[in-house]
Amino acid sequence: MTNRIGIIGGDGIGPEVINEGLKVINASGVDVETVDYDLGGTRYENDGTVLPDSVLNEWKDLDALYLGAVGTPNVPPGVIERGLLLKMRFELDLYVNLRPFKFDENNIDFQVVRENTEGPYAGEGGFHRYGTPYEIATQGSINTRHGVERAIRFAFNLAMNRKKHLTMVHKTNVMPYAGDLWERTFNEVATEFKEVSTDYNHCDAACIYMVQSPEQYDVIVTDNLFGDILTDLGGAVSGGIGFASSANLNPDRTGPSMFEPVHGSAPDIAGKGIANPVAAILSGAMMLDFLGENDAADRISKACYEINDGITGTSAIGDAIAQNL
């Protein structure tokens, strides 16, 4: 079966690392048909295009999306993030952001389930008396029972297939409304998964534990903002951002899911052939796993962790992983 994949190389090192990801996927023997899309900061600078509705409609006929990195220094912050990345999440209902962290050296092996379409990133808020000494800025957090519960259920099901331990992370002590909804929902869903042991951490405490004793975690579930923070820290304690892969999932499969490395476009090293493609390659493995190509996904993931530390260079690392399959 041929998988139709939308490719968004994006900006900076994005196209370089995605090319290596596709090299490894092809070496795995999985049959893919790619459709390229020119989107990101460079495209926006050229003609003002961010993400047209016509492209969104095309994507709904694809099996998955594979993104390198987007963003250029001359584009104001928020334009690409909200207009492309967040729009993708909302319009394609990519309600789970899944990030795995594995680092055998420190006995790290946990995954973070981040609710991906609500919280502060939903865009509630605004300005009053903008630019005056009396300016007011508000930024709310939108949390629905539906959105919270489906993320929590995904996390419980994930934990059932791992070590059967799930930790909820929030700030219920200072966010009594959103926190209460999350806590009540978590406790209610937990009654249906009696085999899974549960725990709760405040977000600031979780940051300490993730550094001091990350081996205590199996699966973490949290909201959009806390998940964004925790997963960057997770990358730092598990080998660096160059190994941090991610999936933006539509578990109901009403549209394509999107897979991307966590790192940015790194324009300062673009074109130098020195970017680490492992995060993009691992994200490609997550994509194959979600598409049912489980054997190829396992082989790619294993090959990524078996490459010689002395190998450097974007293409050389991709070649070594492809040869390790």
Side-chain angles (χ1 to χ4, degrees):
M1 178 179 171
T2 300
N3 298 283
R4 298 188 70 238
I5 310 299
I7 305 297
I8 309 153
D11 304 304
I13 64 171
E16 300 173 42
V17 296
I18 287 297
N19 283 343
E20 299 309 308
L22 290 172
K23 175 194 294 180
V24 173
I25 288 172
N26 289 330
S28 76
V30 175
D31 190 13
V32 296
E33 175 190 340
T34 60
V35 184
D36 291 317
Y37 291 93
D38 177 19
L39 297 169
T42 303
R43 175 69 185 275
Y44 176 78
E45 289 186 64
N46 288 339
D47 62 15
T49 297
V50 182
L51 177 55
D53 290 340
S54 58
V55 171
L56 267 173
N57 290 331
E58 284 183 33
W59 285 351
K60 292 175 182 178
D61 293 325
L62 298 176
D63 295 305
L65 297 165
Y66 193 23
L67 183 146
V70 290
T72 53
N74 294 329
V75 177
V79 173
I80 303 301
E81 292 85 352
R82 296 205 67 85
L84 177 58
L85 298 178
L86 293 188
K87 186 175 180 179
M88 290 170 71
R89 295 175 189 174
F90 299 146
E91 295 296 327
L92 299 175
D93 205 19
L94 308 177
Y95 65 84
V96 165
N97 182 265
L98 180 64
R99 298 192 184 181
F101 301 99
K102 186 175 177 62
F103 192 47
D104 292 338
E105 212 172 287
N106 288 3
N107 199 26
I108 293 173
D109 184 4
F110 66 90
Q111 298 197 12
V112 178
V113 176
R114 165 188 170 191
E115 197 290 317
N116 210 30
T117 59
E118 296 187 349
Y121 294 8
E124 191 276 331
F127 293 104
H128 182 58
R129 294 176 176 166
Y130 185 84
T132 75
Y134 308 100
E135 182 174 344
I136 299 171
T138 63
Q139 192 76 64
S141 177
I142 295 175
N143 301 266
T144 68
R145 172 64 191 231
H146 169 70
V148 171
E149 182 173 339
R150 64 184 183 173
I152 287 173
R153 284 190 177 279
F154 182 94
F156 268 106
N157 281 305
L158 180 62
M160 282 289 291
N161 293 312
R162 289 176 50 86
K163 303 172 192 172
K164 295 184 170 59
H165 182 68
L166 178 61
T167 304
M168 189 189 101
V169 173
H170 210 280
K171 281 288 287 182
T172 56
N173 56 339
V174 293
M175 300 178 69
Y177 308 121
D180 182 72
L181 174 57
W182 271 85
E183 189 171 44
R184 281 186 292 111
T185 305
F186 184 79
N187 291 338
E188 289 171 21
V189 175
T191 63
E192 303 174 31
F193 293 86
K194 298 188 185 300
E195 295 178 60
V196 178
S197 61
T198 60
D199 202 354
Y200 170 79
N201 294 161
H202 290 321
C203 184
D204 45 353
C207 290
I208 296 172
Y209 302 150
M210 197 173 284
V211 173
Q212 292 182 339
S213 56
E215 69 278 359
Q216 71 179 276
Y217 292 117
D218 177 25
V219 179
I220 294 172
V221 64
T222 189
D223 87 337
N224 211 337
L225 176 60
F226 297 140
D228 197 357
I229 296 166
L230 283 177
T231 50
D232 282 352
L233 179 58
V237 301
S238 59
I241 206 74
F243 289 85
S245 57
S246 77
N248 296 268
L249 301 178
N250 177 334
D252 303 325
R253 301 178 190 264
T254 57
S257 294
M258 187 269 280
F259 303 82
E260 60 174 334
V262 173
H263 61 67
S265 58
D268 56 320
I269 61 170
K272 296 182 179 180
I274 60 175
N276 186 348
V278 172
I281 294 169
L282 287 170
S283 298
M286 294 183 75
M287 177 173 67
L288 295 187
D289 188 62
F290 191 73
L291 294 174
E293 302 285 356
N294 313 106
D295 176 67
D298 288 344
R299 287 189 288 117
I300 291 172
S301 296
K302 185 179 179 182
C304 284
Y305 291 105
E306 290 180 345
I307 59 170
N308 190 312
D309 289 340
I311 297 175
T312 59
T314 310
S315 183
I317 293 173
D319 288 342
I321 293 172
Q323 291 166 9
N324 279 350
L325 292 179

